[in-house]
Amino acid sequence: MTELIKNGKRQDDRKPEEMRDLSIEAGVLKRADGSAYLEWGSNKVIAGVFGPQKCIPQHISNPYKAILKFRYNMAPFSVDDRKRPGPDRRSTEISKVSKEALESALILRHFPNTMIEIFVEVLQAAAGTRCASLTAASVALADAGVPMKDMVAACAAGKIGDEVVLDLAKEEDNAGKADVPIAIKPKSGDIVLLQMDGDLTPEEFDETLSLAKEGCMKVSEEQQKALQEKYEMEEGE
Ligand code: CDP
């Protein structure tokens, strides 16, 4: 097997602290209140936001705030081995942690008894889809005009060979030593999601975390750019 990192270069020619190319477009779905399409390396993800709207079923509504629903779904054709359609343990977990990460950034008390639904469809997957989904969902929520204290920007860092690297690609995720996806609120720097797969020493963990935070700040810039472009386009219409 070829080495994942050799002379400071990764298989896709990236430096350890380099992110895969990321592009985000806001407002891509006509029927959603807010939406975003994102390409991150080979990942392709689309997010749609609906609401605040009438809460269904009504008995789960909250008289003090809107409830948030998050559905992460991977298309059967998004991965090499066809994925069985429908929810599974992994998508349930990703939906849960993503919802909790976003909840802390949204101002939900303005919309009692309502629900806000977020649907994320992963069209093509190549490691890092939970970060891609959260990043797209956050742009879609802003596009929908849902009041937010802050955005949520996500990025992973991890370890391949003996090196800590940013934003693991598929081969690196498969054969690497550790993967640490995180999400932060860029204004406050608060961490709203942190997961870890693999083994790291405490020192390596600190290094991984700070690299992932730097990655999130770059992601945050792209999110702002996408929203700015959308509003500049609207002003020009
Ligand atoms: O996508 P993310 O890194 O957030 O989550 P993961 O569970 O660590 O999955 C890593 C990658 O494995 C995904 O991005 C997909 O490329 C791949 N995968 C797959 O090939 N088939 C699945 N049923 C699930 C994931």
Side-chain angles (χ1 to χ4, degrees), residues 42 62 125 200 237:
S42 296
N62 185 322
L200 292 172
E237 273 170 7

Side-chain angles (χ1 to χ4, degrees), residues 72 74 79 83 90 94 125-131 170 173 179:
Y72 165 101
M74 237 179 178
V79 285
K83 188 210 161 277
R90 179 177 170 277
I94 295 177
T129 61
R130 75 195 62 207
C131 292
K170 183 78 181 83
D173 189 32
D179 185 27

Side-chain angles (χ1 to χ4, degrees), residues 62-66 106-114 147 149:
N62 185 322
Y64 300 105
K65 60 177 190 172
L106 297 171
I107 306 174
L108 297 170
R109 65 189 153 74
H110 287 186
F111 308 101
N113 291 311
T114 66
K149 288 174 258 183

Side-chain angles (χ1 to χ4, degrees), residues 99-126:
K99 171 182 122 88
E100 288 168 358
L102 287 167
E103 252 169 358
S104 67
L106 297 171
I107 306 174
L108 297 170
R109 65 189 153 74
H110 287 186
F111 308 101
N113 291 311
T114 66
M115 67 175 180
I116 299 169
E117 287 185 293
I118 306 163
F119 296 95
V120 176
E121 299 292 325
V122 177
L123 307 174
Q124 195 166 283

Side-chain angles (χ1 to χ4, degrees), residues 2 10 23 25 27 34 45 93 99 107 111 114 126 172 177 212 229:
T2 49
R10 297 153 75 175
S23 67
E25 193 182 343
V45 165
E93 175 224 316
K99 171 182 122 88
I107 306 174
F111 308 101
T114 66
E172 297 176 331
K177 306 254 170 72
E229 274 167 19

